[in-house]
Amino acid sequence: MLFTSSELITKIVINEKTQNALKLYGVVLKPLVLLLTIFTGIFPKNYEPPPGGFYFEINDVSPVVQDDPLLFDYNVEERVNDFVAAAVSQANITRTNHIMFTMGTDFKYQYAESWFRQLDKFIHYVNKDGRVNALYSTPSIYTDAKHTTSESWPLKTDDFFPYADQANAYWTGYFTSRPALKGYVRLLSGYYLAARQLEFFIGRSSVGPTTDSLADALAVAQHHDAVTGTEKQHVADDYAKRLYRGYAEAESLVKLSLACLTESASISGCDSPKTKFEQCPLLNISYCPQSEVDLSHAKSLVVLLYNSLGWKREDVIRIPVISESIVVRDSEGRVVESQLLPLLNASTTIRSHYIKAYLGISPSAAPKFWLAFPVSVPPLGFTTYFVSTAKQTDSASSMSTLYSPQVTEKSTTKIGPGLVKLLYNADEGRLSFYSNSRSKVNAVVEQSFSYYTGQDGNGSDPQASGAYIFRPNGTYPIKSDTQVPLTVLQGPILDEVHQQINPWIYQITRVFKAKEHAEFEFRVGPIPTDDGTGKEVAMQITTAMMTNKTFYTDSNGRDFIKRIRDSRSDWELQVHQPAAGNYYPINLGVYMEDNSTELSLLVDRSVGGASLVDGQLELMLHRRLLHDDGRGVAEALNETVCVDDECAGLTVQGKFYVRIDPKGEGAKWRRSFGQEIYSPLLIAFSEQDGENWINSHVGTFTAMDPSYSLPDNVALLTLQALEDGSALLRLAHLYETREDKDLSTMANVELKKIFPDKKIGKITETNLSANQERAEMEKKRLKWKVEDSQSAEMVARGGPVDPSKLIVELGPMEIRTFVIKFDYIFLRV
Ligand SMILES: *[C@@H]1O[C@H](CO)[C@@H](O)[C@H](O)[C@H]1NC(C)=O
Ligand SMILES: *[C@@H]1O[C@H](CO)[C@@H](O)[C@H](O)[C@H]1NC(C)=O
Ligand SMILES: *[C@@H]1O[C@H](CO)[C@@H](O)[C@H](O)[C@H]1NC(C)=O
Ligand SMILES: *[C@@H]1O[C@H](CO)[C@@H](O)[C@H](O)[C@H]1NC(C)=O
Ligand SMILES: *[C@@H]1O[C@H](CO)[C@@H](O)[C@H](O)[C@H]1NC(C)=O
Ligand SMILES: *[C@@H]1O[C@H](CO)[C@@H](O)[C@H](O)[C@H]1NC(C)=O
Ligand SMILES: *[C@@H]1O[C@H](CO)[C@@H](O)[C@H](O)[C@H]1NC(C)=O
Ligand SMILES: *[C@@H]1O[C@H](CO)[C@@H](O)[C@H](O)[C@H]1NC(C)=O
Ligand SMILES: *[C@@H]1O[C@H](CO)[C@@H](O)[C@H](O)[C@H]1NC(C)=O
């Protein structure tokens, strides 16, 4: 089969008439290129050797080729016949007369000699026989051979999800398996992006810390048995350890870069900065020794926020603190409104348990509050805020206000200090209504939790639910324990609703004054298994929307692909598993729409999700299972955390975000807020005595021209210092054709304004992995004939970069990669 790379799935059709019309209006039509296609396919038996006895690990049982005629087990003809039969059978379902045998599979070639000895004999005797021609090959040789046949190929523009290898074996469990590892990979990918930028600003060091080991760890974690969660526990631990070590080195680099950048406006390198910054990787469990400090002795806490996005950013920062009368000031000394939220028991419990588990220490008393304040950070830059205890001269209105929790029992609750309001009903304390007074969206919305019990594999069908496979044996709603009331924290910046859903699910819902979505932070675990069954925990958002079985999920965070329940675009489907057979991977988000509105749900890590009922979206948040599913892990997916020899199931904490828009207006939030989720503000802390920081440090910084920011439809994927001092730059257009009425257009990026302090000498466009020039690639790229030429549409693409103007154009979903050499560097004054 032939299909497009995922960023090119959508196409624009520009016929001659519109082309001429555009010319008349003097619009320079950007190069329209034929949809790029790549060659792909599915083999009859995964990547296994063909059926008929072709496994040659030394302990395999396939008959070896015995070609000594003096021996009684001489079998050359027999084995040649087996080989030819396997070839003919595969050729029967394969276009052209070239087929590929994948001679090996997982765990093979531990003793390669035994394989190659047999393959040598097969090639020799099969070619002597002459019915088929056999040779050692590679995927590129095979692809070239297919290409030279001039065959036309069918075009496939979606993917192969969800995949099942048997009637009840849908490989949709791994979309969620090991959600904490998935979260860690995502968190560090975003951190890596920011750390590379900071490395670029101060120049790559040949002796100091670099981001290389984080890059390596993240690369290894992309393996199909790493981030997928389909490895043994000790292997998962090894991946996490590598990630942590990479993080630790990158963190040293980040602290050094920030110190350099704050001590001097010059970005031309720095020797040994004196300023010490610290970071708090365990802010997620309310642990931050740097912010939990006594500020009463004229010290103030310096909070630096780095924004790795190419746009200015407004956000709300939350840090744990111990004192109550606090004043927050910005880098110009102006008081910033702030809000204190008490740290509730559920947070202190997870805090003390996991600090012990992660660090082996018992922390001092827990901080009493979260301090929240709004921040505004320039693109590709930082700004600084100062947190101190109030002095007598500070007016009461400048101090942070503490809003005590209210426990609501049997009354309707409405939260939201801004445009978005959430309503909770009186009897069950359940979310019931969502409104946005700007967009005039009013919608009935409910949230519920449930779990699937994992099949144990002992029934008549031996397939168990496991790390790969989602094989439920029943689904059970989780009733909110109505005895436990809602705890509501309201204030000027944000409102929070705390819900103990059941003894092992806790949720905090936040609505911010300045944001038009609701944020849900969930804690699931330890999932109980004392009843002898594994459980897979899901969350549903239910509306009255008429969605006609249809919803949309992202492909690797890029295109959204249309999904229709119980249906596949390419073949007649028989769904054996109504839930498992309709689950899809959710990396960025999922949305559904009806005639008037669209509801989007964005995630902070990859999870499985579905729309099993019209008007409803579901995410699977966590899974704990007691049986192996027989796909190679040979272990139950039973993640546990031990503290002092006490072991309990892993608790997973994460976030998802919900917003409802008028139909056709959801893409802007999904794309721009999606970038904010991936690249949270990087927070670093320092301390100052007195108030001299501003006199000796740079308070705000942007690496770009101060008047510039990237267009709303473009993201900076990579800004990295290469070893020879040049820069690697990747820019991505965030929208698909027709996705948004304003932003699905050609975008222009001004490189001179991204690098205001540097003179660009030479710019070379390369392929995505930056190891081949684009011009070379275009010469070599194979062009495939498409069966139905109607489907070979044209897509708009940016033109070549004029070296004097240095403007990069990007068409919808286009990613462009450049290696940039600088002539010299201007010093920033
Ligand atoms: C080829 O495929 C057809 C149809 O599926 C089948 O009837 C036939 O037995 C196959 N032949 C071989 C040699 O596998
Ligand atoms: C929170 O924890 C404290 C100390 O452990 C306890 O006294 C208090 O009752 C708890 N509050 C709630 C609401 O559970
Ligand atoms: C399915 O669940 C029922 C209990 O609801 C249990 O009796 C049965 O053994 C389970 N079957 C499998 C194969 O897990
Ligand atoms: C299923 O069978 C396996 C192997 O016989 C056994 O170890 C396991 O305890 C059984 N599980 C259940 C839930 O019956
Ligand atoms: C529902 O979707 C089907 C395709 O899955 C389509 O044929 C039908 O027209 C849709 N109905 C409505 C009311 O949109
Ligand atoms: C949605 O709009 C289509 C076309 O305008 C119409 O046929 C359909 O009945 C509408 N569906 C609902 C639920 O209003
Ligand atoms: C799951 O983990 C718990 C806690 O470590 C352990 O007691 C239990 O035996 C494990 N069960 C399986 C099937 O691995
Ligand atoms: C908290 O964040 C760390 C990474 O800094 C991660 O490893 C851990 O899983 C997170 N903890 C929870 C409970 O989510
Ligand atoms: C870029 O080109 C190099 C050299 O041909 C190749 O090895 C690499 O796979 C290409 N990268 C991508 C992403 O296509």
Side-chain angles (χ1 to χ4, degrees):
M1 245 172 281
L2 190 69
F3 85 114
T4 65
S5 61
S6 66
E7 74 266 32
L8 297 171
I9 281 168
T10 50
K11 303 148 249 176
I12 56 160
V13 198
I14 295 200
N15 58 29
E16 242 175 88
K17 222 176 187 175
T18 40
Q19 285 206 31
N20 288 334
L22 287 169
K23 273 185 206 143
L24 273 180
Y25 285 98
V27 175
V28 183
L29 206 57
K30 295 310 164 195
L32 284 175
V33 294
L34 199 66
L35 195 63
L36 296 179
T37 49
I38 63 167
F39 177 72
T40 188
I42 293 181
F43 285 100
K45 229 184 126 196
N46 304 328
Y47 43 99
E48 305 275 325
F54 297 96
Y55 286 83
F56 299 111
E57 207 64 26
I58 45 172
N59 55 354
D60 281 335
V61 295
S62 298
V64 296
V65 180
Q66 179 52 268
D67 54 356
D68 183 344
L70 295 177
L71 296 179
F72 295 122
D73 59 349
Y74 177 86
N75 64 1
V76 170
E77 280 79 23
E78 218 175 300
R79 293 267 53 199
V80 165
N81 286 341
D82 293 341
F83 190 98
V84 172
V88 170
S89 151
Q90 186 167 329
N92 198 21
I93 52 162
T94 309
R95 284 176 190 238
T96 82
N97 58 353
H98 300 285
I99 59 158
M100 176 156 74
F101 282 168
T102 46
M103 296 305 293
T105 170
D106 283 5
F107 310 119
K108 298 299 176 185
Y109 289 82
Q110 296 184 32
Y111 183 64
E113 155 100 22
S114 72
W115 280 91
F116 285 114
R117 179 179 287 271
Q118 297 308 312
L119 294 182
D120 285 348
K121 289 188 182 185
F122 273 113
I123 290 172
H124 176 75
Y125 291 111
V126 163
N127 290 343
K128 215 167 150 191
D129 171 85
R131 281 174 287 170
V132 303
N133 178 49
L135 64 148
Y136 282 112
S137 184
T138 65
S140 5
I141 294 173
Y142 178 67
T143 306
D144 284 338
K146 294 294 222 193
H147 186 252
T148 51
T149 62
S150 300
E151 177 89 14
S152 289
W153 302 89
L155 185 71
K156 182 172 171 63
T157 55
D158 59 356
D159 56 23
F160 296 93
F161 287 123
Y163 163 75
D165 65 359
Q166 281 170 39
N168 293 310
Y170 285 91
W171 292 44
T172 54
Y174 82 84
F175 299 157
T176 298
S177 297
R178 300 192 186 280
L181 179 66
K182 284 182 165 67
Y184 200 34
V185 170
R186 179 68 59 92
L187 176 82
L188 294 188
S189 305
Y191 191 80
Y192 174 52
L193 184 150
R196 271 184 303 184
Q197 296 176 353
L198 290 165
E199 184 174 39
F200 174 78
F201 299 148
I202 61 162
R204 203 187 139 91
S205 159
S206 51
V207 287
T210 68
T211 54
D212 294 355
S213 53
L214 181 55
D216 291 348
L218 282 167
V220 172
Q222 304 309 306
H223 182 264
H224 73 232
D225 290 315
V227 69
T228 48
T230 50
E231 65 281 63
K232 285 185 195 289
Q233 185 60 50
H234 70 268
V235 181
D237 293 344
D238 185 69
Y239 286 123
K241 182 175 180 175
R242 285 168 193 280
L243 287 166
Y244 173 73
R245 293 168 75 121
Y247 166 77
E249 188 181 338
E251 192 198 57
S252 316
L253 169 84
V254 163
K255 292 192 284 199
L256 179 76
S257 306
L258 293 176
C260 290
L261 294 170
T262 51
E263 283 187 8
S264 143
S266 158
I267 55 163
S268 58
C270 76
D271 314 326
S272 43
K274 286 168 210 67
T275 310
K276 296 275 174 276
F277 278 105
E278 291 300 333
Q279 292 208 261
C280 290
L282 296 180
L283 262 182
N284 60 341
I285 52 163
S286 332
Y287 181 59
C288 183
Q290 284 66 38
S291 70
E292 298 168 28
V293 289
D294 180 5
L295 297 169
S296 56
H297 306 292
K299 277 190 186 155
S300 57
L301 178 68
V302 179
V303 183
L304 179 143
L305 305 161
Y306 177 70
N307 171 18
S308 58
L309 300 179
W311 315 303
K312 179 177 175 216
R313 172 150 174 201
E314 315 287 335
D315 210 334
V316 172
I317 287 300
R318 293 187 311 118
I319 55 175
V321 293
I322 56 177
S323 44
E324 197 166 335
S325 47
I326 279 182
V327 178
V328 180
R329 289 192 169 79
D330 68 12
S331 62
E332 278 160 26
R334 289 176 298 226
V335 170
V336 174
E337 182 174 42
S338 58
Q339 178 182 345
L340 283 177
L341 298 94
L343 198 74
L344 301 183
N345 279 11
S347 300
T348 47
T349 309
I350 191 169
R351 178 182 188 273
S352 54
H353 184 74
Y354 277 89
I355 293 174
K356 197 100 193 276
Y358 298 146
L359 305 177
I361 56 167
S362 294
S364 54
K368 293 204 205 86
F369 311 106
W370 278 105
L371 169 69
F373 56 94
V375 299
S376 171
V377 193
L380 218 58
F382 62 74
T383 189
T384 324
Y385 288 83
F386 302 91
V387 176
S388 51
T389 44
K391 291 176 199 58
Q392 271 152 6
T393 48
D394 285 317
S395 67
S397 65
S398 61
M399 288 192 321
S400 56
T401 29
L402 173 63
Y403 295 86
S404 313
Q406 287 155 19
V407 175
T408 64
E409 247 160 318
K410 305 263 172 225
S411 68
T412 305
T413 306
K414 188 179 193 177
I415 64 158
L419 299 167
V420 166
K421 309 273 181 214
L422 297 185
L423 209 68
Y424 289 77
N425 65 17
D427 37 320
E428 279 179 290
R430 286 228 292 207
L431 174 63
S432 58
F433 202 76
Y434 173 107
S435 67
N436 180 331
S437 53
R438 181 193 57 83
S439 63
K440 306 277 179 278
V441 163
N442 292 295
V444 172
V445 179
E446 291 189 351
Q447 189 199 16
S448 53
F449 287 84
S450 64
Y451 64 82
Y452 298 91
T453 47
Q455 187 121 359
D456 63 19
N458 286 359
S460 52
D461 171 352
Q463 183 58 62
S465 210
Y468 294 84
I469 285 161
F470 175 26
R471 174 85 202 274
N473 175 25
T475 159
Y476 302 88
I478 294 174
K479 287 256 178 292
S480 273
D481 190 343
T482 45
Q483 299 309 301
V484 185
L486 298 183
T487 303
V488 181
L489 303 175
Q490 292 193 289
I493 297 165
L494 78 155
D495 290 354
E496 283 188 354
V497 171
H498 291 241
Q499 286 167 286
Q500 186 80 52
I501 307 287
N502 76 358
W504 43 275
I505 303 180
Y506 189 84
Q507 183 177 256
I508 305 171
T509 307
R510 301 195 176 95
V511 183
F512 294 87
K513 180 181 177 191
K515 296 188 183 187
E516 294 187 37
H517 63 257
E519 169 182 306
F520 295 79
E521 180 175 313
F522 62 87
R523 283 177 207 149
V524 177
I527 298 176
T529 52
D530 40 13
D531 60 358
T533 57
K535 295 176 188 64
E536 315 187 36
V537 181
M539 181 286 303
Q540 299 84 24
I541 297 282
T542 309
T543 67
M545 289 167 70
M546 309 232 241
T547 54
N548 190 23
K549 296 186 171 180
T550 306
F551 59 111
Y552 300 82
T553 68
D554 70 283
S555 172
N556 288 320
R558 301 285 293 159
D559 298 77
F560 276 89
I561 300 187
K562 183 177 192 169
R563 311 296 188 182
I564 299 174
R565 195 161 64 245
D566 296 332
S567 157
R568 305 287 186 269
S569 58
D570 296 3
W571 70 95
E572 277 299 312
L573 178 74
Q574 226 194 321
V575 179
H576 298 272
Q577 289 285 324
N582 283 302
Y583 253 71
Y584 289 87
I586 315 292
N587 313 288
L588 165 63
V590 48
Y591 71 93
M592 57 182 179
E593 60 185 19
D594 69 3
N595 278 3
S596 57
T597 51
E598 56 187 281
L599 183 147
S600 314
L601 180 53
L602 302 185
V603 297
D604 69 344
R605 71 198 64 198
S606 296
V607 296
S611 175
L612 301 178
V613 175
D614 278 358
Q616 185 183 83
L617 294 178
E618 168 168 320
L619 297 181
M620 185 182 287
L621 303 177
H622 192 10
R623 341 174 52 221
R624 185 180 187 198
L625 297 162
L626 304 178
H627 299 274
D628 178 58
D629 57 10
R631 294 302 183 283
V633 194
E635 244 181 44
L637 180 69
N638 179 22
E639 294 178 280
T640 58
V641 174
C642 300
V643 174
D644 296 338
D645 301 329
E646 285 275 313
C647 297
L650 172 73
T651 298
V652 165
Q653 178 181 298
K655 287 182 187 168
F656 52 85
Y657 307 84
V658 175
R659 171 162 163 156
I660 310 179
D661 285 290
K663 188 178 177 180
E665 292 176 22
K668 284 194 180 79
W669 180 69
R670 289 192 293 271
R671 294 302 182 185
S672 55
F673 189 66
Q675 290 295 306
E676 294 190 21
I677 299 173
Y678 184 69
S679 287
L681 286 173
L682 182 153
I683 311 179
F685 300 93
S686 192
E687 242 182 26
Q688 75 162 341
D689 284 319
E691 281 175 0
N692 46 23
W693 180 276
I694 281 305
N695 300 330
S696 52
H697 292 84
V698 176
T700 59
F701 162 84
T702 173
M704 304 208 288
D705 183 304
S707 65
Y708 191 65
S709 72
L710 287 184
D712 289 343
N713 48 8
V714 175
L716 185 67
L717 291 192
T718 312
L719 174 57
Q720 180 184 354
L722 299 177
E723 268 164 45
D724 67 354
S726 51
L728 173 62
L729 178 75
R730 289 193 189 93
L731 296 166
H733 194 297
L734 292 171
Y735 290 78
E736 298 170 55
T737 310
R738 289 187 297 269
E739 183 175 351
D740 184 82
K741 62 182 185 342
D742 307 313
L743 297 173
S744 291
T745 49
M746 186 68 71
N748 291 324
V749 173
E750 297 181 52
L751 296 185
K752 285 180 188 166
K753 295 196 168 163
I754 296 188
F755 303 106
D757 307 313
K758 296 181 149 94
K759 169 121 181 24
I760 295 176
K762 184 164 181 250
I763 174 162
T764 311
E765 184 159 14
T766 66
N767 71 352
L768 189 62
S769 47
N771 54 351
Q772 181 172 229
E773 289 195 17
R774 178 176 175 157
E776 274 306 296
M777 175 180 79
E778 274 170 10
K779 268 187 251 158
K780 290 184 193 154
R781 186 193 291 278
L782 300 178
K783 307 231 167 23
W784 297 87
K785 282 195 199 141
V786 176
E787 219 172 46
D788 169 12
S789 54
Q790 287 273 291
S791 55
E793 290 172 288
M794 308 286 268
V795 288
R797 286 294 173 249
V801 178
D802 176 335
S804 63
K805 295 202 184 85
L806 290 167
I807 290 177
V808 176
E809 296 170 330
L810 295 132
M813 278 288 128
E814 185 169 19
I815 299 180
R816 298 183 73 176
T817 308
F818 299 94
V819 173
I820 298 173
K821 276 203 163 32
F822 300 103
D823 276 353
Y824 53 85
I825 297 171
F826 299 106
L827 287 189
R828 198 183 269 266
V829 230

